[in-house]
Amino acid sequence: VAERYNDTHTALRDLDRIYMSLLPNHSTDGSDEQYFSRPITAQEVAVVKVRLADSGGQSARGADNVAYADVLGIPNEHIAALFQQCVDSCDAPDSWFTTILAAIEKPGKPASDPESYRNIGLESCLLKVLTLIIDRRLREWADVTGRIPDTQNGFRAGHRTENNMFILR
């Protein structure tokens, strides 16, 4: 069974490589509003910073040693310029792509028991801010173009998963 699994796993990995080789390095943004290719603005950074501040701005530092509190103190124009440079070059600092894994002891559990710990991944706060900007653009495009049906309520602002119970009934 293990040998067959390895053969299947290898074949799937090879197939993935073929599919990846068919993808272009760059694609053309065909959206009317240029959701995916317009420059990142200081205003977009400001909107994400408000969200961070509203959630308390608390974060652990990733490999780049930057916390949300640090990000909140950087001028929006500087962050927008940094992010745009990363997008234009299709690259970013290596530390943004490094996740530090840590084990945190669960409250009231014995430290000697491995089951008393939960794993967390500490990621770059700057990268998370960039991905929030990209996420906002993707959600805006999906809403404007009607890509998300009215019945999809999970993970959408102003919608609750309980809404579907009423739709079903």
Side-chain angles (χ1 to χ4, degrees):
V1 173
E3 186 175 309
R4 189 175 70 196
Y5 169 79
N6 287 334
D7 290 342
T8 302
H9 189 261
T10 301
L12 289 173
R13 197 170 0 155
D14 291 343
L15 187 59
D16 285 344
R17 283 192 190 106
I18 292 168
Y19 285 141
M20 287 175 45
S21 72
L22 297 174
L23 293 173
N25 288 334
H26 293 85
S27 57
T28 303
D29 181 359
S31 67
D32 292 337
E33 299 294 326
Q34 299 295 285
Y35 292 100
F36 310 110
S37 60
R38 68 179 181 241
I40 295 172
T41 66
Q43 178 60 31
E44 289 177 298
V45 174
V47 168
V48 171
K49 280 185 169 184
V50 167
R51 180 175 167 185
L52 295 178
D54 287 347
S55 66
Q58 298 294 317
S59 66
R61 298 171 186 272
D64 60 359
N65 202 29
V66 176
Y68 284 143
D70 301 324
V71 173
L72 293 173
I74 302 171
N76 298 344
E77 298 79 18
H78 294 274
I79 295 174
L82 172 64
F83 289 167
Q84 190 61 52
Q85 182 179 0
C86 291
V87 170
D88 290 345
S89 66
C90 295
D91 199 8
D94 288 339
S95 61
W96 287 16
F97 301 114
T98 302
T99 300
I100 300 171
L101 298 177
I104 305 295
E105 187 178 347
K106 297 175 184 175
K109 300 288 183 173
S112 60
D113 183 3
E115 295 293 321
S116 298
Y117 294 86
R118 64 182 173 92
N119 293 322
I120 63 167
L122 305 176
E123 300 178 327
S124 168
C125 291
L126 282 166
L127 182 62
K128 288 190 271 187
V129 170
L130 176 57
T131 57
L132 285 171
I133 291 170
I134 294 168
D135 177 69
R136 287 180 48 80
R137 287 184 179 194
L138 184 59
R139 288 175 187 270
E140 182 183 355
W141 168 82
D143 284 342
V144 168
T145 60
R147 298 287 200 252
I148 302 175
D150 291 336
T151 55
Q152 169 61 352
N153 291 307
F155 305 105
R156 289 178 66 198
H159 295 77
R160 299 178 58 97
T161 55
E162 292 88 358
N163 293 0
N164 284 340
M165 290 187 283
F166 295 112
I167 293 168
L168 180 61
R169 187 167 194 162

